[in-house]
Amino acid sequence: MIPIRISLDREIYEHADRVSRRQGVSLADFCRRTLREALAQYPSDKPWMAYVGGLEGSTDDSSTVDAVVYGRDAR
């Protein structure tokens, strides 16, 4: 992780501190989670990352790629 330093208005700081305590996480973790959620709505320089972990199937599905794509068994 890269440490950063930011300044917040007192009201925002106190509100974020209360919410993080209710969630049982540190203020730093709450800020990281909130920032990650906010950034999710913006395209990244790696748009394909939005699909990582989003596919379904069995763990051995990739072993059939050669058979499906090339018509031969993988060896």
Side-chain angles (χ1 to χ4, degrees):
M1 288 196 199
I2 300 170
I4 65 167
R5 184 176 186 145
I6 61 171
S7 298
L8 300 172
D9 294 333
R10 180 172 298 280
E11 182 180 328
I12 291 173
Y13 168 80
E14 290 173 351
H15 191 179
D17 189 49
R18 283 192 305 271
V19 172
S20 68
R21 288 174 191 260
R22 279 195 298 256
Q23 291 185 0
V25 298
S26 68
L27 180 57
D29 192 40
F30 174 75
C31 290
R32 282 189 292 269
R33 290 178 185 186
T34 304
L35 186 57
R36 188 178 304 118
E37 290 171 10
L39 291 173
Q41 65 183 319
Y42 296 97
S44 76
D45 58 341
K46 299 176 184 172
W48 53 269
M49 288 295 286
Y51 300 103
V52 171
L55 302 177
E56 296 179 4
S58 71
T59 55
D60 65 341
D61 283 348
S62 62
S63 66
T64 62
V65 170
D66 280 348
V68 172
V69 175
Y70 303 109
R72 59 185 162 109
D73 290 335
R75 293 180 209 249

XYZ file of all heavy atoms in Angstrom:
595
model
N 0.836 -1.184 0.000
C 0.000 0.000 0.000
C 0.875 1.241 0.000
O 1.997 1.211 0.491
C -0.890 0.010 1.232
C -1.980 -1.004 1.177
S -3.207 -0.590 2.403
C -3.982 -2.163 2.498
N 0.311 2.287 -0.502
C 1.001 3.576 -0.543
C 0.367 4.477 0.521
O -0.824 4.771 0.438
C 0.867 4.218 -1.929
C 1.479 3.304 -2.982
C 1.504 5.604 -1.946
C 1.194 3.728 -4.397
N 1.123 4.899 1.505
C 0.546 5.787 2.524
C 0.311 7.180 1.940
O 1.128 7.690 1.169
C 1.610 5.822 3.618
C 2.872 5.423 2.950
C 2.511 4.565 1.778
N -0.836 7.756 2.278
C -1.153 9.117 1.828
C -1.626 9.926 3.031
O -1.975 9.369 4.067
C -2.217 9.147 0.713
C -3.558 8.627 1.228
C -1.767 8.368 -0.505
C -4.714 8.908 0.305
N -1.668 11.216 2.851
C -2.155 12.098 3.904
C -3.177 13.025 3.264
O -2.894 13.663 2.246
C -1.004 12.891 4.493
C -1.414 13.730 5.630
C -0.202 14.413 6.220
N -0.635 15.113 7.404
C 0.088 15.244 8.485
N 1.297 14.738 8.519
N -0.379 15.891 9.519
N -4.378 13.081 3.860
C -5.422 13.960 3.337
C -5.982 14.803 4.478
O -5.836 14.464 5.655
C -6.572 13.169 2.661
C -7.256 12.239 3.650
C -6.064 12.387 1.459
C -8.515 11.595 3.134
N -6.635 15.881 4.130
C -7.312 16.739 5.105
C -8.803 16.652 4.861
O -9.257 16.669 3.704
C -6.854 18.186 4.957
O -5.469 18.287 5.203
N -9.565 16.544 5.948
C -11.014 16.460 5.864
C -11.644 17.546 6.717
O -11.085 17.934 7.750
C -11.515 15.104 6.377
C -11.019 13.853 5.672
C -11.473 12.612 6.434
C -11.531 13.811 4.241
N -12.818 18.009 6.307
C -13.591 18.879 7.183
C -13.951 18.081 8.430
O -14.169 16.862 8.370
C -14.885 19.332 6.498
C -14.642 20.225 5.292
O -13.599 20.903 5.249
O -15.499 20.213 4.386
N -14.001 18.758 9.567
C -14.281 18.076 10.835
C -15.573 17.267 10.768
O -15.630 16.133 11.224
C -14.349 19.075 11.987
C -14.636 18.387 13.332
C -14.525 19.327 14.496
N -13.192 19.866 14.629
C -12.156 19.238 15.192
N -12.325 18.013 15.636
N -10.977 19.806 15.283
N -16.620 17.844 10.176
C -17.918 17.159 10.100
C -17.811 15.851 9.307
O -18.343 14.821 9.714
C -18.946 18.091 9.459
C -20.338 17.498 9.386
C -21.334 18.454 8.755
O -21.175 19.686 8.912
O -22.257 17.961 8.101
N -17.104 15.881 8.183
C -16.933 14.675 7.376
C -16.102 13.645 8.132
O -16.426 12.459 8.155
C -16.279 15.018 6.023
C -17.260 15.827 5.168
C -15.835 13.755 5.290
C -16.663 16.368 3.894
N -15.038 14.099 8.776
C -14.186 13.189 9.549
C -15.000 12.495 10.645
O -14.939 11.267 10.798
C -13.016 13.943 10.172
C -12.282 13.116 11.188
C -11.350 12.156 10.795
C -12.543 13.265 12.548
C -10.704 11.371 11.722
C -11.892 12.484 13.482
C -10.976 11.535 13.070
O -10.338 10.757 13.989
N -15.750 13.274 11.410
C -16.513 12.698 12.524
C -17.580 11.734 12.026
O -17.806 10.681 12.629
C -17.117 13.812 13.376
C -16.055 14.574 14.153
C -16.586 15.791 14.883
O -17.768 16.172 14.654
O -15.819 16.392 15.659
N -18.227 12.079 10.924
C -19.247 11.190 10.358
C -18.613 9.883 9.881
O -19.103 8.792 10.172
C -19.972 11.897 9.221
C -21.189 11.184 8.741
N -21.980 11.668 7.739
C -21.766 10.008 9.094
C -22.972 10.835 7.509
N -22.860 9.818 8.318
N -17.517 9.982 9.151
C -16.821 8.787 8.661
C -16.316 7.944 9.829
O -16.386 6.706 9.796
C -15.668 9.186 7.748
N -15.831 8.584 10.877
C -15.344 7.861 12.054
C -16.481 7.093 12.724
O -16.316 5.921 13.088
C -14.699 8.847 13.031
C -13.978 8.162 14.156
O -13.175 7.239 13.884
O -14.207 8.539 15.328
N -17.639 7.729 12.864
C -18.800 7.055 13.475
C -19.238 5.853 12.641
O -19.497 4.769 13.166
C -19.968 8.032 13.638
C -19.829 8.990 14.789
C -21.136 9.726 15.077
N -21.682 10.418 13.911
C -21.375 11.663 13.570
N -20.501 12.357 14.283
N -21.933 12.216 12.518
N -19.312 6.050 11.327
C -19.755 4.967 10.441
C -18.762 3.810 10.471
O -19.159 2.644 10.564
C -19.973 5.481 8.995
C -20.248 4.333 8.047
C -21.111 6.490 8.952
N -17.484 4.113 10.429
C -16.480 3.043 10.448
C -16.545 2.261 11.752
O -16.420 1.032 11.754
C -15.074 3.607 10.218
O -14.652 4.406 11.295
N -16.756 2.939 12.865
C -16.885 2.245 14.160
C -18.105 1.331 14.171
O -18.046 0.211 14.666
C -16.969 3.254 15.307
C -15.665 3.947 15.590
C -15.885 5.041 16.645
N -14.738 5.884 16.758
C -13.825 5.768 17.715
N -13.935 4.816 18.608
N -12.807 6.599 17.742
N -19.220 1.832 13.623
C -20.435 0.993 13.559
C -20.204 -0.243 12.710
O -20.753 -1.310 12.978
C -21.613 1.800 13.011
C -22.291 2.670 14.034
C -23.645 3.144 13.542
N -23.540 3.955 12.346
C -23.656 5.275 12.306
N -23.886 5.950 13.394
N -23.557 5.912 11.164
N -19.405 -0.099 11.665
C -19.110 -1.235 10.790
C -18.019 -2.137 11.356
O -17.756 -3.206 10.823
C -18.710 -0.742 9.398
C -19.846 -0.115 8.641
C -19.451 0.262 7.229
O -18.317 0.065 6.791
N -20.396 0.822 6.486
N -17.371 -1.690 12.424
C -16.336 -2.489 13.052
C -15.037 -2.543 12.265
O -14.317 -3.536 12.327
N -14.752 -1.480 11.510
C -13.507 -1.413 10.734
C -12.775 -0.128 11.093
O -13.363 0.811 11.620
C -13.764 -1.469 9.203
C -14.423 -2.777 8.810
C -14.596 -0.287 8.735
N -11.501 -0.095 10.777
C -10.735 1.125 11.018
C -11.194 2.215 10.054
O -11.777 1.933 8.999
C -9.244 0.860 10.828
O -8.965 0.595 9.463
N -10.902 3.441 10.420
C -11.236 4.562 9.536
C -10.485 4.432 8.218
O -11.048 4.694 7.152
C -10.917 5.896 10.214
C -11.223 7.156 9.412
C -12.697 7.204 9.010
C -10.851 8.395 10.210
N -9.242 3.983 8.270
C -8.454 3.803 7.045
C -9.107 2.756 6.136
O -9.219 2.968 4.922
C -7.026 3.383 7.391
N -9.545 1.643 6.714
C -10.190 0.605 5.905
C -11.512 1.112 5.337
O -11.840 0.856 4.179
C -10.415 -0.662 6.732
C -10.807 -1.846 5.882
O -10.227 -2.003 4.785
O -11.691 -2.619 6.302
N -12.256 1.846 6.139
C -13.513 2.422 5.656
C -13.253 3.358 4.471
O -13.958 3.298 3.459
C -14.212 3.190 6.786
C -15.435 3.924 6.345
C -16.612 3.242 6.081
C -15.417 5.294 6.176
C -17.751 3.921 5.664
C -16.540 5.983 5.755
C -17.712 5.294 5.496
N -12.219 4.193 4.565
C -11.882 5.110 3.465
C -11.473 4.336 2.217
O -11.885 4.685 1.109
C -10.774 6.063 3.893
S -11.305 7.278 5.121
N -10.664 3.278 2.392
C -10.255 2.473 1.227
C -11.472 1.838 0.555
O -11.609 1.873 -0.674
C -9.270 1.382 1.657
C -7.868 1.882 1.884
C -6.889 0.743 2.090
N -7.118 0.035 3.334
C -6.529 0.347 4.493
N -5.686 1.346 4.560
N -6.777 -0.359 5.579
N -12.364 1.266 1.354
C -13.564 0.617 0.792
C -14.450 1.633 0.070
O -14.952 1.367 -1.014
C -14.378 -0.050 1.900
C -13.732 -1.257 2.498
C -14.593 -1.811 3.596
N -13.949 -2.919 4.279
C -14.546 -3.650 5.197
N -15.779 -3.396 5.570
N -13.908 -4.643 5.774
N -14.651 2.776 0.706
C -15.511 3.808 0.118
C -14.931 4.342 -1.183
O -15.648 4.523 -2.174
C -15.715 4.946 1.132
O -16.252 4.388 2.348
C -16.669 5.992 0.606
N -13.624 4.561 -1.198
C -12.966 5.035 -2.417
C -13.042 3.986 -3.520
O -13.319 4.301 -4.681
C -11.516 5.408 -2.122
C -10.724 6.057 -3.241
C -11.416 7.319 -3.744
C -9.323 6.378 -2.755
N -12.838 2.712 -3.160
C -12.920 1.624 -4.144
C -14.328 1.573 -4.765
O -14.480 1.430 -5.970
C -12.593 0.294 -3.457
C -12.454 -0.857 -4.414
C -12.078 -2.163 -3.705
N -10.861 -2.022 -2.910
C -10.796 -2.171 -1.575
N -11.880 -2.467 -0.882
N -9.661 -2.037 -0.943
N -15.365 1.713 -3.917
C -16.743 1.708 -4.428
C -17.009 2.906 -5.331
O -17.664 2.775 -6.367
C -17.730 1.686 -3.263
C -17.741 0.377 -2.503
C -18.565 0.444 -1.229
O -19.285 1.454 -1.017
O -18.495 -0.512 -0.434
N -16.509 4.072 -4.950
C -16.716 5.277 -5.761
C -16.016 5.152 -7.106
O -16.553 5.561 -8.143
C -16.218 6.509 -5.003
N -14.822 4.583 -7.120
C -14.065 4.455 -8.361
C -14.615 3.382 -9.292
O -14.334 3.406 -10.496
C -12.594 4.160 -8.054
C -11.822 5.307 -7.417
C -10.429 4.848 -7.009
C -11.748 6.492 -8.358
N -15.401 2.465 -8.765
C -15.943 1.376 -9.580
C -16.835 1.892 -10.708
O -17.000 1.220 -11.728
C -16.711 0.397 -8.706
N -17.391 3.079 -10.568
C -18.280 3.615 -11.600
C -17.540 4.304 -12.748
O -18.146 4.699 -13.734
C -19.292 4.566 -10.977
C -18.685 5.809 -10.380
C -19.728 6.670 -9.708
O -20.823 6.831 -10.226
N -19.395 7.234 -8.564
N -16.229 4.436 -12.616
C -15.437 5.083 -13.647
C -14.588 4.058 -14.390
O -14.032 3.156 -13.777
C -14.522 6.149 -13.038
C -15.295 7.273 -12.402
C -15.539 7.263 -11.034
C -15.808 8.305 -13.172
C -16.262 8.282 -10.445
C -16.530 9.324 -12.586
C -16.762 9.304 -11.217
O -17.484 10.311 -10.643
N -14.455 4.212 -15.694
C -13.620 3.279 -16.453
C -12.173 3.355 -15.979
O -11.676 4.421 -15.639
C -13.731 3.754 -17.895
C -14.738 4.843 -17.926
C -15.028 5.254 -16.523
N -11.516 2.226 -15.959
C -10.105 2.213 -15.593
C -9.273 2.058 -16.853
O -9.796 1.924 -17.953
C -9.817 1.055 -14.639
O -9.780 -0.163 -15.344
N -7.969 2.062 -16.687
C -7.104 1.845 -17.842
C -7.056 0.364 -18.209
O -6.440 -0.009 -19.189
C -5.702 2.387 -17.582
C -5.052 1.770 -16.360
O -5.769 1.216 -15.521
O -3.821 1.865 -16.239
N -7.725 -0.467 -17.412
C -7.817 -1.907 -17.679
C -9.291 -2.315 -17.579
O -9.707 -2.951 -16.614
C -6.987 -2.687 -16.664
C -5.525 -2.349 -16.708
C -4.765 -3.072 -15.631
C -3.321 -2.627 -15.639
N -2.580 -3.159 -14.506
N -10.109 -1.954 -18.565
C -11.552 -2.214 -18.463
C -11.900 -3.688 -18.326
O -12.927 -4.020 -17.759
C -12.121 -1.623 -19.759
C -10.965 -1.435 -20.663
C -9.739 -1.310 -19.806
N -11.040 -4.572 -18.794
C -11.304 -6.002 -18.682
C -11.316 -6.460 -17.227
O -11.890 -7.482 -16.893
C -10.275 -6.808 -19.476
C -8.862 -6.467 -19.122
C -8.074 -5.529 -19.702
C -8.072 -7.042 -18.077
N -6.842 -5.488 -19.104
C -6.812 -6.406 -18.098
C -8.299 -8.037 -17.140
C -5.806 -6.732 -17.202
C -7.288 -8.351 -16.250
C -6.058 -7.701 -16.288
N -10.722 -5.673 -16.326
C -10.694 -6.056 -14.913
C -12.092 -6.091 -14.306
O -12.318 -6.754 -13.305
C -9.812 -5.087 -14.120
C -8.328 -5.243 -14.377
S -7.685 -6.825 -13.823
C -7.681 -6.584 -12.059
N -13.047 -5.398 -14.917
C -14.416 -5.423 -14.406
C -15.015 -6.811 -14.490
O -15.963 -7.131 -13.777
C -15.283 -4.431 -15.190
N -14.460 -7.658 -15.352
C -15.006 -8.994 -15.548
C -14.265 -10.072 -14.769
O -14.674 -11.223 -14.771
C -14.995 -9.343 -17.034
C -15.814 -8.366 -17.837
C -15.198 -7.371 -18.582
C -17.199 -8.404 -17.810
C -15.944 -6.451 -19.299
C -17.954 -7.494 -18.517
C -17.320 -6.524 -19.262
O -18.059 -5.606 -19.948
N -13.179 -9.713 -14.108
C -12.405 -10.700 -13.357
C -13.271 -11.268 -12.243
O -13.876 -10.537 -11.478
C -11.119 -10.068 -12.783
C -10.431 -11.016 -11.826
C -10.191 -9.662 -13.904
N -13.345 -12.581 -12.201
C -14.140 -13.243 -11.175
C -15.619 -13.256 -11.470
O -16.402 -13.778 -10.692
N -16.019 -12.699 -12.591
C -17.435 -12.618 -12.907
C -17.959 -13.741 -13.768
O -19.132 -13.777 -14.084
N -17.103 -14.651 -14.157
C -17.527 -15.744 -15.012
C -17.837 -16.976 -14.192
O -17.271 -17.195 -13.133
C -16.435 -16.063 -16.040
C -16.029 -14.892 -16.932
C -14.895 -15.313 -17.851
C -17.204 -14.403 -17.753
N -18.727 -17.775 -14.693
C -19.087 -19.002 -14.005
C -18.603 -20.196 -14.793
O -18.350 -20.108 -15.983
C -20.604 -19.080 -13.846
C -21.171 -17.978 -12.971
C -22.678 -18.071 -12.859
O -23.273 -19.014 -13.384
O -23.254 -17.170 -12.235
N -18.504 -21.307 -14.130
C -18.081 -22.536 -14.777
C -17.252 -23.359 -13.819
O -16.978 -22.944 -12.697
N -16.852 -24.520 -14.270
C -16.043 -25.361 -13.404
C -14.570 -25.042 -13.597
O -14.170 -24.447 -14.600
C -16.309 -26.844 -13.692
O -15.758 -27.212 -14.927
N -13.766 -25.451 -12.640
C -12.342 -25.130 -12.680
C -11.607 -25.843 -13.799
O -10.523 -25.433 -14.177
C -11.675 -25.478 -11.341
O -11.935 -26.856 -11.048
C -12.220 -24.610 -10.221
N -12.185 -26.916 -14.341
C -11.487 -27.630 -15.418
C -12.010 -27.264 -16.807
O -11.649 -27.886 -17.793
C -11.551 -29.147 -15.196
C -12.975 -29.688 -15.279
O -13.924 -28.898 -15.140
O -13.115 -30.901 -15.471
N -12.837 -26.231 -16.907
C -13.355 -25.819 -18.214
C -12.247 -25.444 -19.185
O -12.340 -25.710 -20.380
C -14.312 -24.634 -18.078
C -15.684 -25.052 -17.579
O -15.960 -26.271 -17.559
O -16.464 -24.165 -17.211
N -11.179 -24.837 -18.698
C -10.113 -24.416 -19.598
C -9.374 -25.597 -20.214
O -8.719 -25.453 -21.242
C -9.119 -23.511 -18.872
O -8.505 -24.216 -17.821
N -9.492 -26.772 -19.612
C -8.800 -27.945 -20.164
C -9.440 -28.424 -21.462
O -8.836 -29.182 -22.211
C -8.772 -29.078 -19.134
O -10.084 -29.538 -18.880
N -10.638 -27.959 -21.764
C -11.308 -28.374 -22.994
C -11.153 -27.366 -24.128
O -11.687 -27.583 -25.208
C -12.813 -28.593 -22.741
O -13.396 -27.355 -22.328
C -13.053 -29.663 -21.692
N -10.414 -26.290 -23.895
C -10.266 -25.251 -24.916
C -9.664 -25.814 -26.199
O -10.165 -25.548 -27.295
C -9.421 -24.068 -24.386
C -9.058 -23.119 -25.511
C -10.182 -23.343 -23.300
N -8.592 -26.583 -26.100
C -7.969 -27.141 -27.305
C -8.955 -27.993 -28.094
O -9.012 -27.922 -29.322
C -6.732 -27.971 -26.956
C -5.515 -27.112 -26.701
O -5.568 -25.909 -27.018
O -4.523 -27.646 -26.184
N -9.729 -28.795 -27.397
C -10.699 -29.648 -28.075
C -11.769 -28.814 -28.773
O -12.147 -29.103 -29.912
C -11.338 -30.616 -27.087
N -12.230 -27.778 -28.111
C -13.297 -26.943 -28.683
C -12.759 -26.051 -29.796
O -13.327 -25.981 -30.886
C -13.963 -26.096 -27.584
C -14.923 -25.083 -28.183
C -14.669 -26.983 -26.573
N -11.642 -25.381 -29.556
C -11.120 -24.413 -30.513
C -10.405 -25.083 -31.681
O -10.596 -24.716 -32.836
C -10.180 -23.408 -29.811
C -9.531 -22.462 -30.815
C -10.956 -22.617 -28.772
N -9.571 -26.077 -31.366
C -8.740 -26.673 -32.401
C -9.183 -28.075 -32.815
O -8.620 -28.651 -33.731
C -7.280 -26.747 -31.916
C -6.720 -25.411 -31.527
C -6.475 -25.110 -30.186
C -6.443 -24.443 -32.488
C -5.964 -23.890 -29.830
C -5.942 -23.205 -32.119
C -5.723 -22.931 -30.792
O -5.214 -21.713 -30.428
N -10.179 -28.605 -32.152
C -10.647 -29.943 -32.493
C -9.670 -31.041 -32.126
O -9.633 -32.078 -32.763
N -8.864 -30.811 -31.088
C -7.898 -31.835 -30.662
C -7.800 -31.836 -29.145
O -8.167 -30.878 -28.469
C -6.536 -31.590 -31.262
C -5.926 -30.246 -30.899
C -4.621 -30.031 -31.655
N -4.265 -28.637 -31.649
C -3.263 -28.121 -30.967
N -2.494 -28.871 -30.219
N -3.005 -26.820 -31.021
N -7.260 -32.928 -28.621
C -7.059 -33.053 -27.166
C -5.851 -32.244 -26.744
O -4.853 -32.173 -27.451
C -6.826 -34.511 -26.769
C -8.098 -35.342 -26.912
O -9.191 -34.741 -26.836
O -7.985 -36.571 -27.072
N -5.929 -31.664 -25.562
C -4.773 -30.950 -24.994
C -3.799 -31.979 -24.434
O -4.180 -32.950 -23.814
C -5.239 -30.010 -23.886
N -2.522 -31.814 -24.699
C -1.513 -32.743 -24.180
C -0.343 -31.993 -23.677
O 0.136 -31.084 -24.124
C -1.062 -33.713 -25.265
C -2.217 -34.612 -25.634
C -1.803 -35.587 -26.726
N -2.968 -35.919 -27.492
C -3.527 -37.107 -27.465
N -3.035 -38.062 -26.739
N -4.568 -37.368 -28.197
